[in-house]
Amino acid sequence: MQKYSIFNLVKNAFSNHENWDLAWKDPTPKEEYDVVIIGGGGHGLATAYYLAKEHNITNVAIIEKGWIGGGNVGRNTTIIRSNYMHDENGLFSEFGMDLWRKMSQDLNYNVMFSPRGIINLAHSDAQMNAYARRGNSMRLNGIDAVLLNREQVKEIIPMADFSENVRFPIFGGLMQPSAGTARHDAVAWGYARQADSMGVDIIQNCEVTGFDVVAGKIKGIRTSRGNIKAKKVGICVAGSTNILAEKLNMTLPIETHLLQACVSEPVKPVLDNVVTFGAGHFYVSQSDKGEMVMGGDLDGYNSYAQRGNLPTLQHVLTEGIAMMPFLSKLKMLRTWGGIMDMSMDGSPIIDKTHIEGLYLNCGWCYGGFKATPASGWTFAHTIAQDRVHELNAGYSLNRFSTGNLIDEKGLGTKTWIS
Amino acid sequence: MLYINCPHCGMRSQNEFSYGGDASVKRPELNKEVSDQEWDDFVYNRKSLRGKHLELWQHISGCRQWIKVERDTATHEIFRTFKADEEVA
């Protein structure tokens, strides 16, 4: 594989950039693999990469129904953070933050990681107390957290509404300075290119139609491009998890819901943080192109549609305008939707299953993008060693029946309001 | 915008309703022994079907009644609506 470097860039300039290697190949599926990963999204590609890199398992295929990076890794709002209160989430995400910091060098691909900081706004004394508690929990886990008062927030984001007579005045906020954003497509492409270079087969336009399970052990998968034998199979399909689970006669603590996001027309630099509204559900950052990238609530009913409805957008943007009134002047450039694997406690599942050789990675809710490296790393470990790593030990499938839930928001089982 | 035909009030926009989840879930009978697995299935496990899905909605800004709605989760088409206690064939 050609390394991406200034020297190769200059060298290829002499041939008008017509002789670059393909970033990844388009192989025909082999008859058998050591590991098959279903789902060519960020998590699936990262899993294949870490299987090859950390565990030297390279006879691996990624099976993707559409094209790689066409699902949620291409549809998110690119936020990366580890501002969690619970140990399981905090330690897992902070491990991921380390991988994010090294990712561009590690993958020889510029993922444009930008640790610009995230601010969660507080709009009451009670919320400030809750944030102080969360910030302290984060710091105990070695995660940076700063509690900001109103004046400090005003210095960082003067364009927010600090006037006196607002319904939700800004009391302060909790900031994680090391949080940020990254170029989401580059993450998928970077992992794909490296995985491919180490021998992983990336097989696109190949839908999984069934599983071969014999005496409680996985033997392979059936696909639209023929049967593929596999010693181990990892499912990493986010919003399509329930569809594959049905083929395995499994019912999971997961519901599939629709989440929308949108971007405004590009404007001059105005916001150099990620900011979230604390009295509802709205978050905003500014992309390198200048677009304001915004998102918020789920549409609120089970859906596989990957396209949203206007009432939810209106609701979300009303919150945005309450927080930063200047947003009302912007024209909307694009809106889109993706389908989320909402788990019953808001936390993910990375675990073995009752079928030997079958592994499950799902339940990412809103937080899948930032988890991409840590999810791939721990899922690769779980598959390669046939046991969970201590980082994902809490993300077990049976935590629901045993009562060991990790409910960061304390919302319970109503996935559509979380 | 979804339009939901409330069996009590008629056709109304989705803004008047709030969602209540899968309507096929049944609470275990309490006068018999209930296994952990049965509780698990009732509280947490969902099929989350792609296609026809029977679900609960509450007409929260209308008659405030709970109703059942048969809706397609891939196209969002609504086929039928029922009163909460109506049996769905």
Side-chain angles (χ1 to χ4, degrees):
Chain A
M1 185 187 65
Q2 280 169 307
K3 197 173 153 64
Y4 289 162
S5 67
I6 185 75
F7 303 108
N8 272 327
L9 191 66
V10 172
K11 198 177 115 193
N12 278 279
F14 289 109
S15 54
N16 290 325
H17 297 290
E18 285 170 357
N19 296 318
W20 284 100
D21 289 347
L22 286 179
W24 51 85
K25 298 177 281 291
D26 182 22
T28 314
K30 286 193 269 186
E31 202 167 294
E32 183 170 4
Y33 290 95
D34 291 340
V35 179
V36 164
I37 305 293
I38 305 172
H43 292 216
L45 293 162
T47 303
Y49 169 71
Y50 291 113
L51 275 173
K53 185 182 173 230
E54 304 286 339
H55 305 280
N56 209 21
I57 299 172
T58 56
N59 185 22
V60 175
I62 293 170
I63 307 293
E64 167 56 45
K65 181 173 69 173
W67 63 94
I68 58 166
N72 294 344
V73 74
R75 293 163 189 263
N76 58 79
T77 46
T78 79
I79 298 164
I80 294 160
R81 57 187 176 86
S82 58
N83 53 356
Y84 287 102
M85 187 169 77
H86 286 76
D87 289 349
E88 293 89 344
N89 291 331
L91 295 171
F92 178 89
S93 304
E94 188 56 17
F95 176 78
M97 292 302 293
D98 272 340
L99 295 174
W100 279 112
R101 289 178 199 115
K102 295 182 286 195
M103 190 180 287
S104 289
Q105 286 73 28
D106 192 26
L107 298 180
N108 180 227
Y109 206 105
N110 186 3
V111 300
M112 296 161 79
F113 176 55
S114 163
R116 58 182 69 184
I118 186 169
I119 302 172
N120 302 129
L121 293 180
H123 306 274
S124 67
D125 282 328
Q127 203 165 13
M128 283 297 281
N129 288 342
Y131 281 174
R133 182 184 176 217
R134 174 143 68 98
N136 285 334
S137 301
M138 288 165 61
R139 292 170 77 126
L140 285 171
N141 281 330
I143 303 164
D144 57 328
V146 186
L147 194 66
L148 305 172
N149 62 29
R150 180 177 162 94
E151 291 311 310
Q152 289 166 313
V153 173
K154 194 172 180 178
E155 249 174 58
I156 302 172
I157 48 166
M159 77 298 281
D161 194 347
F162 286 94
S163 53
E164 294 301 320
N165 294 314
V166 291
R167 174 68 183 83
F168 300 108
I170 296 170
F171 275 56
L174 181 65
M175 183 173 192
Q176 185 191 3
S178 68
T181 60
R183 171 91 177 100
H184 52 177
D185 294 323
V187 175
W189 298 335
Y191 274 122
R193 176 167 162 270
Q194 285 295 341
D196 174 88
S197 77
M198 288 188 283
V200 172
D201 280 358
I202 298 173
I203 298 161
Q204 305 182 75
N205 298 311
C206 181
E207 185 173 359
V208 172
T209 54
F211 295 84
D212 286 324
V213 180
V214 180
K217 196 173 174 345
I218 195 86
K219 294 291 177 191
I221 57 168
R222 285 172 238 155
T223 79
S224 56
R225 293 172 67 176
N227 295 352
I228 300 170
K229 285 186 217 155
K231 295 189 183 74
K232 293 177 177 180
V233 173
I235 296 179
C236 217
V237 296
S240 301
T241 303
N242 285 301
I243 297 174
L244 288 188
E246 197 189 350
K247 298 182 198 301
L248 288 156
N249 290 323
M250 288 170 78
T251 326
L252 297 173
I254 301 279
E255 275 188 354
T256 299
H257 283 270
L258 172 59
L259 179 65
Q260 298 189 73
C262 56
V263 294
S264 75
E265 60 183 327
V267 288
K268 290 269 170 79
V270 56
L271 179 64
D272 59 354
N273 300 100
V274 182
V275 182
T276 74
F277 184 56
H281 198 171
F282 173 82
Y283 40 89
V284 60
S285 63
Q286 189 170 19
S287 77
D288 294 332
K289 287 182 281 185
E291 303 152 332
M292 305 306 288
V293 185
M294 300 171 280
D297 281 316
L298 293 171
D299 268 39
Y301 40 81
N302 291 45
S303 175
Y304 287 89
Q306 287 191 314
R307 63 184 181 283
N309 232 328
L310 283 175
T312 307
L313 268 187
Q314 186 178 28
H315 172 74
V316 166
L317 292 171
T318 304
E319 294 175 18
I321 290 165
M323 182 175 92
M324 289 185 181
F326 84 96
L327 293 174
S328 70
K329 307 286 185 199
L330 301 179
K331 293 189 178 71
M332 187 73 78
L333 192 66
R334 273 195 314 280
T335 77
W336 65 93
I339 51 173
M340 309 292 120
D341 37 337
M342 302 299 295
S343 71
M344 290 290 166
D345 62 355
S347 297
I349 295 162
I350 308 176
D351 203 359
K352 299 160 69 167
T353 65
H354 68 284
I355 297 167
E356 200 185 327
L358 184 75
Y359 306 85
L360 190 61
N361 179 333
C362 63
W364 291 100
C365 305
Y366 295 86
F369 176 68
K370 68 167 178 300
T372 304
S375 163
W377 195 94
T378 51
F379 198 38
H381 180 281
T382 304
I383 294 171
Q385 312 276 332
D386 193 39
R387 63 188 163 82
V388 295
H389 189 271
E390 62 178 20
L391 283 169
N392 64 314
Y395 294 158
S396 62
L397 181 53
N398 73 357
R399 70 174 183 269
F400 299 92
S401 51
T402 58
N404 293 307
L405 305 187
I406 311 168
D407 196 344
E408 193 78 27
K409 294 186 196 155
L411 280 173
T413 60
K414 305 279 185 286
T415 59
W416 54 92
I417 60 164
S418 63
Chain B
M1 180 80 79
L2 300 181
Y3 289 96
I4 300 172
N5 189 12
C6 173
H8 308 280
C9 312
M11 196 66 88
R12 299 297 175 93
S13 89
Q14 78 181 80
N15 291 336
E16 294 188 13
F17 294 84
S18 100
Y19 187 63
D22 189 338
S24 68
V25 176
K26 288 224 161 37
R27 190 187 172 96
E29 296 284 339
L30 289 181
N31 53 8
K32 70 174 181 75
E33 189 73 15
V34 181
S35 70
D36 285 355
Q37 184 61 48
E38 281 172 276
W39 276 121
D40 211 18
D41 285 339
F42 167 62
V43 181
Y44 299 115
N45 293 333
R46 297 290 179 267
K47 286 194 175 128
S48 194
L49 299 173
R50 186 181 197 280
K52 271 189 188 175
H53 187 242
L54 190 69
E55 56 205 19
L56 292 166
W57 289 76
Q58 189 185 12
H59 195 182
I60 196 142
S61 303
C63 61
R64 302 193 62 82
Q65 294 293 313
W66 282 94
I67 61 168
K68 286 190 241 181
V69 175
E70 189 185 53
R71 188 180 59 91
D72 193 306
T73 57
T75 65
H76 296 170
E77 182 181 356
I78 292 171
F79 305 103
R80 297 184 292 175
T81 55
F82 308 87
K83 290 177 184 168
D85 56 357
E86 229 175 305
E87 281 302 315
V88 179

